Amino acid sequence: VHLCELAVAASLAGNERAADLLGRLPGLRTNLERVASVSVPVIVEAARGRLEALPRRSLHRISVTTLGPLRISRDGNPIVEPDWSRRARVREMMGLLVEERRITRSRVAAALWPGLTEENALRNVRVTLAYLQRVLEPDRPQRAEPCVVRTVGDELVLDDDVEIDVDAFKRQMLLATDHDRAGAPGSALAIYRDALALYDGDYLRGLDGEWLEATRARLHVLALGGFLRAGELELA
């Protein structure tokens, strides 16, 4: 939030690099809303202007489960359409977007189709992205810009409003650790339980690729440490 506020102020002063930074901040909508509620009037006005310029929100609430098999829900209902369930590349592209949040088309092509020429791989990116857009926003008007996965220049950007379980898992694990270190084992155990209930297996289980191996290993270690510590607190 503080970085967002500083970037808005610097952008007002004509700093182009600050304006570019705003476009790359994660959770931009949420941070701008917070700045617009707490800052000084001139910054509040600028933050509200930025909010109004953001792309429209999706008509649906999209949530993604990554701890275990990759699953997507639209307004709480699991997506089971054939374009999702029968197209492995569509699921892989969504997994890659969840991992990176913002990624160039060329990197998508290299990650998902490493054995093809760049031209053919980029063609596959376009086709697969069209299927994914249809899965995520089936009732989007034909001429309307996508909301959930947007194109910004040469980059694909996953919207900040998408709810992803791994984000909640990491927040809860960090909070549990803070309570544990502060000498509050009872509350730490309760938070560990809530966090670990989200862990339904390895990150993006069923997908393969070098691009996810480091995150998968890191989350596995984090979960294992959480289970062990929660067990110690139970015994205590």
Side-chain angles (χ1 to χ4, degrees):
V1 174
H2 299 302
L3 179 58
C4 182
E5 185 176 29
L6 287 169
V8 170
S11 180
L12 273 177
N15 188 314
E16 294 181 1
R17 295 177 67 187
D20 179 66
L21 172 63
L22 273 175
R24 295 180 174 276
L25 277 180
L28 179 58
R29 190 187 301 275
T30 300
N31 285 317
L32 284 171
E33 288 172 348
R34 178 63 175 160
V35 170
S37 68
V38 300
S39 193
V40 297
V42 64
I43 304 299
V44 166
E45 183 178 354
R48 288 174 178 168
R50 292 278 180 176
L51 279 168
E52 292 174 359
L54 290 178
R56 66 182 180 87
R57 283 179 163 171
S58 172
L59 298 175
H60 305 284
R61 180 174 63 85
I62 302 295
S63 55
V64 183
T65 300
T66 65
L67 298 172
L70 176 62
R71 297 184 290 267
I72 303 180
S73 296
R74 189 191 307 117
D75 298 325
N77 301 309
I79 290 176
V80 295
E81 286 91 331
D83 282 344
W84 174 255
S85 61
R86 298 180 185 176
R87 296 184 183 275
R89 290 301 192 188
V90 172
R91 298 192 298 275
E92 289 176 2
M93 179 175 285
M94 187 65 192
L96 184 58
L97 283 164
V98 168
E99 169 69 13
E100 298 288 341
R101 310 298 169 96
R102 187 178 189 125
I103 185 170
T104 63
R105 288 173 180 262
S106 59
R107 285 186 61 197
V108 175
L112 301 188
W113 292 278
L116 297 183
T117 65
E118 184 176 11
E119 181 181 358
N120 288 337
L122 288 173
R123 184 183 303 113
N124 285 349
V125 170
R126 289 193 297 272
V127 173
T128 304
L129 179 60
Y131 283 122
L132 179 59
Q133 300 284 22
R134 190 162 65 189
V135 165
L136 295 171
E137 301 178 76
D139 50 3
R140 176 172 57 90
Q142 187 173 3
R143 296 183 180 276
E145 290 294 321
C147 297
V148 182
V149 178
R150 304 192 312 276
T151 299
V152 180
D154 187 45
E155 295 180 315
L156 303 181
V157 181
L158 186 65
D159 190 74
D160 294 331
D161 289 336
V162 175
E163 301 171 5
I164 304 174
D165 63 339
V166 72
D167 295 337
F169 173 70
K170 290 189 287 188
R171 285 196 302 269
Q172 289 291 90
M173 288 295 292
L174 181 61
L175 183 61
T177 302
D178 288 343
H179 279 246
D180 204 357
R181 289 173 176 169
S187 60
L189 178 58
I191 300 168
Y192 274 125
R193 286 172 175 163
D194 289 342
L196 295 168
L198 297 172
Y199 194 83
D200 191 31
D202 280 341
Y203 176 68
L204 297 177
R205 190 173 71 221
L207 301 186
D208 293 308
E210 293 183 3
W211 52 270
L212 62 77
E213 291 176 355
T215 302
R216 177 179 286 169
R218 186 166 59 250
L219 290 171
H220 182 86
V221 170
L222 180 62
L224 182 59
F227 281 117
L228 290 172
R229 182 55 183 156
E232 290 174 347
L233 292 173
E234 287 276 10
L235 288 173

